[in-house]
Amino acid sequence: MDEILLKKINEKIQESISNKDEIKQLISMLSEIDNSKSFALGIVVGRIYNAFYYQSKRILNREPTKVEFEEFLEFIKNRKSDLENLW
């Protein structure tokens, strides 16, 4: 994955950590299960996916390739436990 793109994705992860109170508000408003880890993970991964897609278009001037998307999936898989432990 492009280094600049990877940096932006890591920044989005840090932003999600910094804004976890806002994410908790979303969870409490939208989830029937209080503090649902899977729901929280879905919100954070959605934010990260959006950053990946948007930054690919902005930085690379194109949509991500299948290979880049697979690299993104591997990145998320490797960071899953970190992301789950935010809550």
Side-chain angles (χ1 to χ4, degrees), residues 65-77:
T65 65
K66 184 175 181 172
V67 171
E68 289 165 332
F69 181 69
E70 289 172 3
E71 290 172 350
F72 170 75
L73 291 177
E74 188 65 28
F75 174 81
I76 293 298
K77 179 181 172 186

Side-chain angles (χ1 to χ4, degrees), residues 19-34:
N19 296 331
K20 69 181 178 181
D21 288 338
E22 291 176 1
I23 294 170
K24 285 180 181 180
Q25 282 181 299
L26 278 169
I27 293 166
S28 67
M29 196 169 82
L30 299 174
S31 178
E32 294 179 15
I33 303 169
D34 289 337

Side-chain angles (χ1 to χ4, degrees), residues 15-67:
E15 180 185 309
S16 294
I17 292 168
S18 297
N19 296 331
K20 69 181 178 181
D21 288 338
E22 291 176 1
I23 294 170
K24 285 180 181 180
Q25 282 181 299
L26 278 169
I27 293 166
S28 67
M29 196 169 82
L30 299 174
S31 178
E32 294 179 15
I33 303 169
D34 289 337
N35 297 323
S36 169
K37 279 191 172 189
S38 61
F39 192 66
L41 182 62
I43 290 171
V44 172
V45 170
R47 290 172 54 116
I48 297 167
Y49 170 76
N50 190 45
F52 164 73
Y53 199 84
Y54 171 79
Q55 294 296 338
S56 292
K57 292 179 90 171
R58 190 179 75 72
I59 294 167
L60 305 173
N61 295 317
R62 59 177 171 74
E63 293 185 7
T65 65
K66 184 175 181 172
V67 171

